[in-house]
Amino acid sequence: MEERQECCHKTKSRSEKEYKDLINRLSRIEGQVRGLKRMVENDAYCPDILIQVSAVNAALNSFNKVLLTNHIRTCVTEDIRQGKDETVEELVATLHKLMR
């Protein structure tokens, strides 16, 4: 896999392992959502659909945790070391949005 070039602060170069992990997680979530659609199309029982929606939500939350952890350990830590205090404010704003 080629290294991604950072064009500005709002991009992120990821290791091949991190990239593959995130893409695999999203692919699984995508499959779960397609399964939900099929359930609705096939007139599945509402509680069965709701349980699968809960599983998709849990998968998305897990994805967020992994991505947030990686972000804090790399981008945030590096920016703080470089004296970029605005990154902490950006992180706080992001956490507020995630906790709505």
Side-chain angles (χ1 to χ4, degrees), residues 8-80:
C8 63
H9 178 70
K10 298 294 182 182
T11 62
K12 165 78 167 101
S13 293
R14 292 179 173 81
S15 70
E16 187 171 343
K17 181 184 179 315
E18 179 184 1
Y19 174 81
K20 284 183 178 180
D21 178 53
L22 293 172
I23 293 298
N24 287 338
R25 286 172 180 272
L26 288 172
S27 294
R28 283 194 302 273
I29 293 166
E30 183 179 34
Q32 287 177 296
V33 171
R34 281 195 307 270
L36 280 170
K37 183 179 177 191
R38 280 192 302 276
M39 290 177 80
V40 172
E41 291 170 344
N42 294 328
D43 298 324
Y45 190 50
C46 295
D48 295 338
I49 296 170
L50 291 167
I51 289 167
Q52 290 306 310
V53 169
S54 178
V56 171
N57 283 332
L60 284 167
N61 285 335
S62 178
F63 177 86
N64 272 350
K65 287 176 190 175
V66 168
L67 189 60
L68 181 60
T69 298
N70 291 341
H71 178 61
I72 291 170
R73 287 184 175 155
T74 57
C75 300
V76 174
T77 302
E78 184 178 319
D79 281 0
I80 289 171

